[in-house]
Amino acid sequence: MKSLELIVERIILSSRWLLVVFYLGLVAALALYGVSFIYKFLKVAGLVFSYDDAEMILAMLGLIDAALVASLIVMVMISGYENFVSRFDEGEGEVSFLGKLDAGSLKIKVASSIVAISSIHLLQIFLNAQQFTSDKLMWATIMHLAFVVSALLLGSLEQIMSKLKK
């Protein structure tokens, strides 16, 4: 019976390597998103002299938004791999900029990134408020507030959990 238990445990532990497929998929998605970013950048660069201030601000917010999403993907890939699959053998200093993120810290960083991305989208909507109905403005604001409240609750829960661990 003990040998069966060991086999099951080895299978379960080895299954974490299936996550590599997801992380490699995120690498490919990041590359595609990079191509999309270059296209957006070239479009903005081509129209730089025809944009007024508001249009240029919106274009820059779009580029900032893309950079935040790309950063979020990298953060999830690296810390997810480190936490759930394997430690990086080489380049320990290369990933030290992330710090040692546990699953709770990663959730906080992801939630904070989502709030930042949502803030940019909400700002873009408000800068184009004339194009939206008041219902759409209201719902965009409510959705953003839901992200903010969720991030705050995750932060509070993480603090409570860290106090309980001590």
Side-chain angles (χ1 to χ4, degrees), residues 8-156:
V8 169
E9 288 173 359
R10 284 188 182 142
I11 290 170
I12 290 172
L13 273 175
S14 297
S15 70
R16 74 185 190 278
W17 287 96
L18 294 173
L19 289 170
V20 171
V21 173
F22 295 94
Y23 298 129
L24 292 175
L26 286 176
V27 169
L30 184 61
L32 291 174
Y33 202 54
V35 171
S36 170
F37 178 84
I38 291 169
Y39 173 76
K40 288 177 191 174
F41 174 78
L42 292 174
K43 186 176 171 184
V44 170
L47 297 171
V48 69
F49 297 112
S50 63
Y51 277 166
D52 63 17
D53 286 344
E55 291 171 323
M56 185 53 86
I57 289 170
L58 285 170
M60 292 300 114
L61 287 173
L63 295 176
I64 291 168
D65 184 40
L68 285 171
V69 170
S71 298
L72 179 62
I73 292 170
V74 169
M75 183 175 33
V76 168
M77 283 187 310
I78 292 174
S79 58
Y81 183 86
E82 275 264 322
N83 282 316
F84 303 116
V85 179
S86 179
R87 299 276 178 224
F88 287 99
D89 294 332
E90 294 181 20
E92 186 65 33
E94 291 182 33
V95 293
S96 64
F97 63 91
L98 279 175
K100 295 301 174 200
L101 289 177
D102 58 5
S105 300
L106 178 60
K107 287 178 194 173
I108 301 296
K109 287 193 178 252
V110 168
S112 299
S113 297
I114 290 171
V115 168
I117 292 165
S118 174
S119 298
I120 289 172
H121 280 276
L122 190 59
L123 182 56
Q124 288 173 321
I125 289 170
F126 283 147
L127 289 174
N128 282 322
Q130 70 279 2
Q131 296 177 5
F132 296 96
T133 65
S134 27
D135 276 353
K136 286 188 179 183
L137 290 171
M138 178 190 69
W139 283 111
T141 304
I142 289 171
M143 284 180 10
H144 175 69
L145 289 174
F147 290 138
V148 170
V149 169
S150 295
L152 289 172
L153 289 174
L154 274 173
S156 299

